[in-house]
Amino acid sequence: DGVWELVMIDLRDIKLIACDMDGTIVRRDNKISRELLHLISCLKDLNIQFLLCTGRSYDDMRTVFPDACKIPAILLYGALVCDEEGKTVLSQKIDVTIVEKCIKCTSILDIPIILYTLDGMYILGDRNKIEECNGLFLDSDEVFPFNKKYASSFSEIKSDVLKIEVLTVDLILRERCYQMFEAIDGLQLTHFIDYNIEATRCNVNKGRVLKLLADQMYISDKQVLVFGDSHNDLSMFKLFPNHFAVANASGELKQFARNFTDSVDQNGVEKIIKELLRQKGVKI
């Protein structure tokens, strides 16, 4: 287990690193280590691409990194891809009729729904119920401290919806909503914590998009290194054999993972990247 696996893994051919954020490199305080920023710079000098793979929106992702650190990212679990400058490379929208069905479900249950679009994030429903969820994701006062908009109806939103999220402290309502969403064709469900539901268009996931991007860059599956901590990273682990689960990963991911590293709090990802650089002859 753990970093002892390093001696058995050859990382010299890696050309692309795909890394989850929350629970993998981002701690509960919404921060990453200074060391990681330095390592990303070292990777860039070697023409090794560092790619974020997250359920976050672009604005949310940028809250973690300094302005000078430009990183391309697979966002919203694969529904959106942005380049280093934040320009959209790929987007995969949810059909309007499916969005309307989801809104109807949450209206029946009287819980808010969050719609992620190319034009930002919109919240439909009681904003007080959103505020009840403060602190569930991170140790911050607001669950959505970045750019957000409130809308009274779906008709006010003119941009394509890429991801849907439901967040509630009522686990019974959350389960009822999950069951209602499951009955909607064309929707793929996931979650980050027990209190939320996240949905994208069917067959949209991190692994499929990462495979598409790697193929476009003529990078083979074995030249990709993946880091993750939860079941929404499983699609990447299944497609790319060189992967590491952090020690704090979910049981489901640990059961599938081939390799392990230390937890996010112990800078597990940084340790593997340093080993990669060492194998390539770089002194850290």
Side-chain angles (χ1 to χ4, degrees), residues 36 59 64 71 98 114 130 133 151-152 157 205 245 253 260 269:
L36 179 62
D59 289 340
V64 178
I71 302 177
I98 295 176
I114 302 108
I130 289 291
C133 301
S152 58
I157 303 171
N205 59 55
L253 195 69
F260 300 87
V269 170

Side-chain angles (χ1 to χ4, degrees), residues 188-256:
Q188 180 163 289
L189 304 181
T190 186
H191 67 276
F192 174 60
I193 57 173
D194 291 338
Y195 299 93
N196 84 324
I197 305 168
E198 296 175 280
T200 56
R201 194 174 79 186
C202 195
N203 294 321
V204 170
N205 59 55
K206 294 179 182 180
R208 280 175 175 263
V209 177
L210 179 57
K211 174 64 175 172
L212 174 65
L213 296 178
D215 287 348
Q216 289 176 348
M217 291 185 281
Y218 300 101
I219 294 175
S220 71
D221 296 351
K222 292 183 179 180
Q223 292 174 315
V224 178
L225 178 61
V226 174
F227 295 102
D229 78 310
S230 70
H231 75 283
N232 60 61
D233 299 312
L234 192 57
S235 61
M236 297 191 293
F237 277 41
K238 288 181 177 179
L239 290 174
F240 300 95
N242 292 318
H243 56 248
F244 283 84
V246 289
N248 54 282
S250 68
E252 182 181 6
L253 195 69
K254 283 182 175 179
Q255 287 182 353
F256 186 87

